[in-house]
Coordinates of all heavy atoms in Angstrom, one line a residue:
D231 N -82.1 -95.5 94.7 CA -82.6 -95.0 93.4 C -84.0 -94.3 93.5 O -84.2 -93.3 93.0 CB -82.7 -96.2 92.4 CG -81.3 -96.7 92.0 OD1 -80.4 -95.8 92.0 OD2 -81.2 -97.8 91.6
A232 N -84.8 -95.0 94.3 CA -86.2 -94.4 94.5 C -86.1 -93.1 95.3 O -86.8 -92.1 95.0 CB -87.1 -95.4 95.3
L233 N -85.2 -93.1 96.2 CA -84.9 -91.9 97.0 C -84.5 -90.7 96.1 O -85.0 -89.6 96.3 CB -83.8 -92.2 98.0 CG -83.5 -91.1 99.1 CD1 -84.6 -91.2 100.2 CD2 -82.2 -91.3 99.7
R234 N -83.6 -91.0 95.2 CA -83.2 -90.0 94.2 C -84.3 -89.5 93.4 O -84.4 -88.3 93.1 CB -82.1 -90.6 93.3 CG -80.8 -90.5 93.9 CD -79.7 -90.4 92.9 NE -78.4 -90.5 93.5 CZ -77.6 -91.6 93.4 NH1 -77.9 -92.6 92.6 NH2 -76.5 -91.7 94.1
I235 N -85.2 -90.4 92.9 CA -86.3 -90.0 92.1 C -87.2 -89.0 92.8 O -87.7 -88.0 92.3 CB -87.0 -91.2 91.6 CG1 -86.2 -92.0 90.6 CG2 -88.4 -90.9 90.9 CD1 -86.6 -93.5 90.4
V236 N -87.5 -89.4 94.1 CA -88.4 -88.6 94.9 C -87.8 -87.2 95.2 O -88.4 -86.2 95.0 CB -88.8 -89.3 96.2 CG1 -89.5 -88.4 97.2 CG2 -89.7 -90.5 95.9
A237 N -86.5 -87.3 95.6 CA -85.8 -86.0 95.9 C -85.8 -85.1 94.6 O -86.0 -83.9 94.7 CB -84.4 -86.3 96.4
D238 N -85.6 -85.7 93.5 CA -85.5 -85.0 92.2 C -86.9 -84.4 92.0 O -87.0 -83.2 91.6 CB -85.2 -86.0 91.1 CG -84.8 -85.3 89.9 OD1 -84.0 -84.3 90.0 OD2 -85.2 -85.7 88.8
G239 N -88.0 -85.1 92.2 CA -89.3 -84.6 92.1 C -89.6 -83.4 93.0 O -90.1 -82.3 92.5
V240 N -89.2 -83.5 94.2 CA -89.3 -82.4 95.2 C -88.5 -81.2 94.7 O -89.0 -80.0 94.7 CB -88.9 -82.8 96.6 CG1 -88.9 -81.6 97.5 CG2 -89.9 -83.8 97.1
N241 N -87.3 -81.4 94.2 CA -86.4 -80.3 93.8 C -87.0 -79.6 92.6 O -86.9 -78.4 92.4 CB -85.0 -80.9 93.5 CG -84.3 -81.2 94.8 OD1 -84.5 -80.5 95.8 ND2 -83.4 -82.1 94.7
R242 N -87.7 -80.4 91.7 CA -88.3 -79.8 90.5 C -89.4 -78.9 90.9 O -89.8 -77.9 90.2 CB -88.8 -80.9 89.5 CG -87.7 -81.5 88.7 CD -88.2 -82.7 87.9 NE -87.2 -83.6 87.6 CZ -86.6 -83.7 86.4 NH1 -87.0 -82.9 85.5 NH2 -85.7 -84.5 86.2
L243 N -90.1 -79.2 92.0 CA -91.3 -78.4 92.4 C -90.9 -77.2 93.2 O -91.7 -76.4 93.6 CB -92.3 -79.3 93.1 CG -92.8 -80.5 92.3 CD1 -93.7 -81.4 93.2 CD2 -93.6 -80.1 91.1
R244 N -89.6 -77.3 93.6 CA -89.1 -76.2 94.5 C -89.1 -74.9 93.7 O -88.9 -74.8 92.5 CB -87.6 -76.5 94.7 CG -87.1 -76.1 96.0 CD -85.7 -76.7 96.2 NE -85.2 -76.1 97.4 CZ -84.2 -76.6 98.1 NH1 -83.6 -77.7 97.8 NH2 -83.7 -75.9 99.1
G245 N -89.4 -73.8 94.4 CA -89.4 -72.5 93.8 C -90.1 -71.4 94.7 O -90.6 -71.7 95.8
P246 N -90.2 -70.2 94.2 CA -90.7 -69.1 95.0 C -92.2 -69.2 95.4 O -92.6 -68.6 96.4 CB -90.5 -67.9 94.1 CG -90.4 -68.4 92.7 CD -89.8 -69.8 92.9
K247 N -92.9 -70.1 94.7 CA -94.4 -70.2 95.0 C -94.7 -71.4 96.0 O -95.8 -71.6 96.3 CB -95.1 -70.4 93.7 CG -95.2 -69.2 92.9 CD -96.2 -69.3 91.8 CE -95.7 -70.0 90.6 NZ -96.5 -70.0 89.4
L248 N -93.6 -72.1 96.4 CA -93.9 -73.2 97.3 C -93.0 -73.2 98.5 O -91.8 -73.0 98.5 CB -93.6 -74.5 96.5 CG -93.7 -75.8 97.3 CD1 -95.1 -76.1 97.7 CD2 -93.1 -77.0 96.5
G249 N -93.6 -73.4 99.7 CA -92.9 -73.7 100.9 C -93.0 -75.1 101.3 O -94.1 -75.6 101.3
S250 N -91.9 -75.8 101.6 CA -92.0 -77.2 101.9 C -91.4 -77.5 103.3 O -90.3 -77.0 103.6 CB -91.2 -78.1 100.9 OG -91.6 -77.9 99.6
L251 N -92.1 -78.4 104.0 CA -91.6 -78.9 105.2 C -91.3 -80.4 105.0 O -92.2 -81.2 104.8 CB -92.6 -78.7 106.4 CG -92.1 -79.1 107.8 CD1 -91.0 -78.2 108.2 CD2 -93.3 -79.0 108.8
V252 N -90.0 -80.7 105.0 CA -89.6 -82.1 104.7 C -89.3 -82.8 106.0 O -88.4 -82.4 106.7 CB -88.4 -82.1 103.7 CG1 -88.0 -83.6 103.5 CG2 -88.8 -81.5 102.4
I253 N -90.1 -83.8 106.4 CA -89.9 -84.5 107.7 C -89.1 -85.7 107.4 O -89.5 -86.5 106.6 CB -91.3 -84.8 108.3 CG1 -92.2 -83.6 108.5 CG2 -91.1 -85.6 109.6 CD1 -93.6 -83.9 109.0
T254 N -88.0 -85.8 108.2 CA -87.2 -87.0 108.1 C -86.4 -87.3 109.3 O -86.0 -86.4 110.1 CB -86.2 -86.9 106.9 OG1 -85.5 -88.1 106.7 CG2 -85.3 -85.7 107.0
H255 N -86.3 -88.6 109.6 CA -85.6 -89.1 110.8 C -84.1 -89.1 110.5 O -83.3 -88.8 111.3 CB -86.1 -90.5 111.1 CG -85.4 -91.1 112.2 ND1 -85.7 -90.8 113.6 CD2 -84.5 -92.1 112.3 CE1 -84.9 -91.6 114.3 NE2 -84.2 -92.3 113.6
Y256 N -83.8 -89.4 109.2 CA -82.4 -89.6 108.8 C -81.9 -88.4 108.0 O -82.7 -87.8 107.3 CB -82.2 -90.9 108.0 CG -82.6 -92.1 108.8 CD1 -83.7 -92.8 108.5 CD2 -81.8 -92.5 109.8 CE1 -84.1 -93.9 109.3 CE2 -82.1 -93.6 110.6 CZ -83.3 -94.3 110.3 OH -83.6 -95.4 111.0
Q257 N -80.6 -88.2 108.0 CA -80.0 -87.1 107.2 C -79.9 -87.5 105.7 O -79.9 -86.6 104.9 CB -78.6 -86.9 107.8 CG -78.0 -85.6 107.4 CD -77.3 -85.7 106.1 OE1 -76.9 -86.8 105.7 NE2 -77.1 -84.7 105.3

Side-chain angles (χ1 to χ4, degrees):
D231 289 334
L233 187 79
R234 277 211 187 106
I235 292 160
V236 167
D238 195 42
V240 172
N241 286 331
R242 280 170 205 261
L243 300 174
R244 210 169 171 161
K247 289 193 279 187
L248 177 68
S250 302
L251 186 64
V252 177
I253 300 177
T254 183
H255 177 78
Y256 299 106
Q257 194 274 336

